[in-house]
Amino acid sequence: MTEYGRGPGPEPWHPEDPQYGDQGWTGHETQQGQMPYVAGPQQYQQEPQPQQPYYAQQQGRYPQAQQPPYAQQPQQMPYPQHPQQHQHPQQHPQQETYGGQGQVWDTGQVHYAEVPQTADPYAGVDPYAQQQSSGYPGEAPDLYGTPEAFPPPRPPSMRHLQTEEPWQEEEDAAADSFLAGGGGGDNDDGDGDGDDGGRGGRRPGRSGGKPKKRSGMACLIAAVVIVAVVGGGGYYGYSYLKDKFGAAEDFAGAGIDVPVDVQIPKGAGLGQMGRILKEAGVVASAQAFVDAAKSANGTSIQPGTYPLKKKMSAASVVEVMTDPSKLHVLTISEGSRNSAVYAAIDKKLEKPEGTTAGIAKREVKNLGLPAWANNDSKIMDPLEGFLYPMRYDLTKDSTPESLLKQMVKNATDKYTELGIEAKSKELGLENPLQVITVASLVNAEGKNHDDFRKMSEVVYNRLKKTNDVTNRKIEFDSTYNYIKNQSEINFNLKEAKAFVHPYNTHNVTGLPPGPINNPGLEALTATLSPDHGGWMFFVSVDGDKTTFTKTYDEHLQLVAEFQERQKQKNGG
C-alpha cells in the first residue's frame, strides 16, 4: 500500500474528491508533482508508519491538537538511500509499477522514463512536505494550498464523528453574559454574532457545529425577567390609558365623619391642591378635584387651612374651599381694634366669649412685647397696636395664646424692619410707641394712602407748640369712638368735648397714651413720611372723599357743607 492510493487497484486518489476511498487512509495530503524512486538492483518498499490519532494529525489545522500534523522522524527516511546510485525512470509514457520479489503494484499513475543523474535531487527533502508545482505536463493543481481549498480529507470512520468535550465553563459564562445584558454568546444560528469571533456560532474544533446546551438557571431567570417586563409594562400602560381617557376616580357625598384640616400653601395650583387633598384622604383622585374646580370657578380658592372630612366628593370639597367663610384662617384687617380681634379669635377657635380678652390681660408680659411698649399706666390695652393685621392660618393646634404671640411677633418684626425707634426722634416724638399711636390715628381717619400722608401732616402740625388754632389738641373723633368702643360719625360734639378721658383728644392736648387700633403697613409708612403740605384741617363732606385745608375759615365752610348733607340724609 502506498500513500498515493487506496491499494493495488487501479483507482487513484482523486484530489477533487476528498471523501473518495474508505481504506488505507493515512491522513496525509497528496504530494503533487513528486516523483517516486525506482531502486536499482533492490527495491525498497516504504515501511508503513503507524497511524497517528486524528487530533494529533490535524494539529496544524485545529487549535486543539498538541503536535504538528507530520512529526519528523529523526533518523528515518521514507526511502533510505542506497549505497548505489539511484536510477530514475526513463522519460516515456508508461504506467508506473513497483516490483520486488515477484510482486508488482500498479499505482495507476503515468510517469516518464528515468533520466540518469549523478546525484539524487531529493536527498534530504521531507517527502511529506508540500512540494511546489514542477510544471510537468499533465500535473494536477494543488487544491489544498489555496484559501479556496477543500478541507483536508478525513478518514471514513471519523467523517460523521461528533467529539464530546466539556463546555460547562463556556455555558456558565454565557449565562452570566445574558444576565449582564450581553446575550450575544449563545448564537446557534451561525450568523457570526456569538463569542466565537464570527465563526458562524460554532465552537473551535467542533466539526458539526452542534448547538450548545443552555443553562437551566439562565433560562429560568430569562423567563422571569421577560414576564416581569411584559407584566409591568402592561400594568403601567393600562394605568396611563385609564388616567388619560377614563373617568377620574371620585367619592360620593359629603364625606365620612372624620374631620381633617388641610393646609393649602401660597402659590399652589389646582394640580398641587388636588395632590395635597388626595394624600390627606379627602378626595379619591387629584384629577377629580381639578375637574370639579375648573367647572366651579376654582381659581378663587385661597391658600389657607380648610376644615374638611375624609372621603368627600370633589364637588363637595370645591364648594367648601370656594366659600371664604369656610376657610380655616383668621384675617385681621388694617386698623382693627383689639376688642374686634379677641372676638374673632374666640369665634374661630369656638371659644366662649371673652376667653381671648382674658388671656391677653393675664399674659400680657409673656406674649413678647418689646421693651419700649407699655410705658404708660394710662394705656387701656397694652397689646393695642401690636396685633399685626394680616391673615393667620389656623390648625387643630391653634390656641388663643399661640395666636396672640404670633401677632405680637409679626408686629415687632415689622416695626424693627421699618426702624421706628430711630425715626421717632426725627419726627419730634418722644418714643417709638408714639409712632404707632400716630399711625393708628392716621389709619382710623384716612381712607387711602394719599389721605394717610396728608393725615399724618395734620397730626404733626397740631402737635406743634406754635399751634394756636387748636391749642395742640388733635380733636379726632376716632379717639372718642375708641373710648366708647363704637364707630359713630354723628355724635354730640359738645358732649365729646366735655368728656374727660386720657384718650379723648377733644378734651386733652397731645397724643393719647397709646394706639387706638392696629395700623397697617400703608399707615405706618405714611406716618414715617408725611406730605409736608402744611395741612391743618380735613372734612369728608360726602363720606367718601376727604378734603384737606390749611386755614380754619376754609375748614368752617367745609363743616357747614357736611352738616347740611347730614340733615338732608336724615330727612331733616
Side-chain angles (χ1 to χ4, degrees), residues 316-514:
S316 299
V317 174
V318 172
E319 182 180 358
V320 172
M321 297 180 70
T322 52
D323 185 357
S325 63
K326 301 294 181 63
L327 184 63
H328 204 37
V329 297
L330 177 62
T331 302
I332 306 300
S333 301
E334 295 180 357
S336 297
R337 298 172 186 169
N338 278 8
S339 57
V341 175
Y342 299 151
I345 293 176
D346 289 342
K347 183 178 181 180
K348 277 293 183 181
L349 298 184
E350 300 179 352
K351 302 293 182 179
E353 184 178 351
T355 300
T356 304
I359 293 174
K361 187 175 181 178
R362 293 192 309 267
E363 302 294 333
V364 62
K365 295 182 179 180
N366 300 322
L367 298 177
L369 288 172
W372 47 264
N374 192 21
N375 58 357
D376 193 333
S377 59
K378 298 179 181 180
I379 294 177
M380 295 178 62
D381 187 350
L383 291 181
E384 196 76 68
F386 290 92
L387 303 182
Y388 192 72
M390 60 177 294
R391 196 184 77 176
Y392 295 87
D393 294 334
L394 305 179
T395 65
K396 61 181 180 180
D397 298 326
S398 296
T399 62
E401 185 175 0
S402 67
L403 285 175
L404 292 175
K405 286 183 177 180
Q406 184 63 42
M407 292 176 183
V408 172
K409 181 180 183 304
N410 290 343
T412 304
D413 292 344
K414 181 58 65 176
Y415 299 155
T416 302
E417 178 185 341
L418 295 174
I420 63 173
E421 290 189 63
K423 291 186 177 181
S424 62
K425 296 180 180 180
E426 297 177 5
L427 297 171
L429 301 175
E430 297 178 4
N431 51 58
L433 183 61
Q434 287 190 342
V435 177
I436 310 304
T437 302
V438 172
S440 67
L441 296 174
V442 168
N443 212 143
E445 297 288 346
K447 296 182 180 300
N448 51 54
H449 184 71
D450 186 54
D451 284 356
F452 292 159
R453 293 193 67 202
K454 292 179 179 181
M455 197 69 68
S456 63
E457 176 69 7
V458 171
V459 174
Y460 292 133
N461 287 334
R462 290 187 181 187
L463 290 175
K464 290 179 180 180
K465 294 180 180 181
T466 60
N467 175 19
D468 57 359
V469 178
T470 64
N471 297 319
R472 299 185 64 224
K473 291 181 180 179
I474 303 297
E475 294 185 346
F476 278 11
D477 294 344
S478 55
T479 59
Y480 181 76
N481 286 331
Y482 179 74
I483 299 170
K484 298 295 185 177
N485 196 25
Q486 65 183 18
S487 296
E488 295 293 336
I489 298 176
N490 298 318
F491 56 84
N492 192 321
L493 185 57
K494 292 182 179 179
E495 291 180 0
K497 290 182 177 181
F499 184 76
V500 179
H501 193 281
Y503 278 80
N504 184 9
T505 59
H506 285 287
N507 184 267
V508 299
T509 60
L511 295 171

Side-chain angles (χ1 to χ4, degrees), residues 33-38 77 79 81-82 84-89 91 113-127 131-132 134 136:
Q34 181 171 345
M35 301 294 293
Y37 293 102
V38 178
M77 296 291 293
Y79 301 97
Q81 296 293 330
H82 196 274
Q84 297 181 0
Q85 182 176 355
H86 290 283
Q87 303 294 326
H88 294 278
Q91 293 188 4
E114 179 182 4
V115 178
Q117 293 184 5
T118 58
D120 187 357
Y122 300 101
V125 177
D126 184 2
Q131 301 297 327
Q132 298 293 332
S134 60
Y136 289 120

Side-chain angles (χ1 to χ4, degrees), residues 142-157:
D142 183 6
L143 300 179
Y144 302 108
T146 62
E148 299 82 7
F150 289 105
R154 304 176 64 182
S157 59

Side-chain angles (χ1 to χ4, degrees), residues 29 51 119 178 332 478 495 556:
E29 299 179 5
Q51 185 172 349
F178 176 82
I332 306 300
S478 55
E495 291 180 0
L556 291 178

Side-chain angles (χ1 to χ4, degrees), residues 145-165:
T146 62
E148 299 82 7
F150 289 105
R154 304 176 64 182
S157 59
M158 301 183 68
R159 289 177 185 174
H160 303 287
L161 179 62
Q162 297 293 340
T163 57
E164 297 294 336
E165 295 183 14

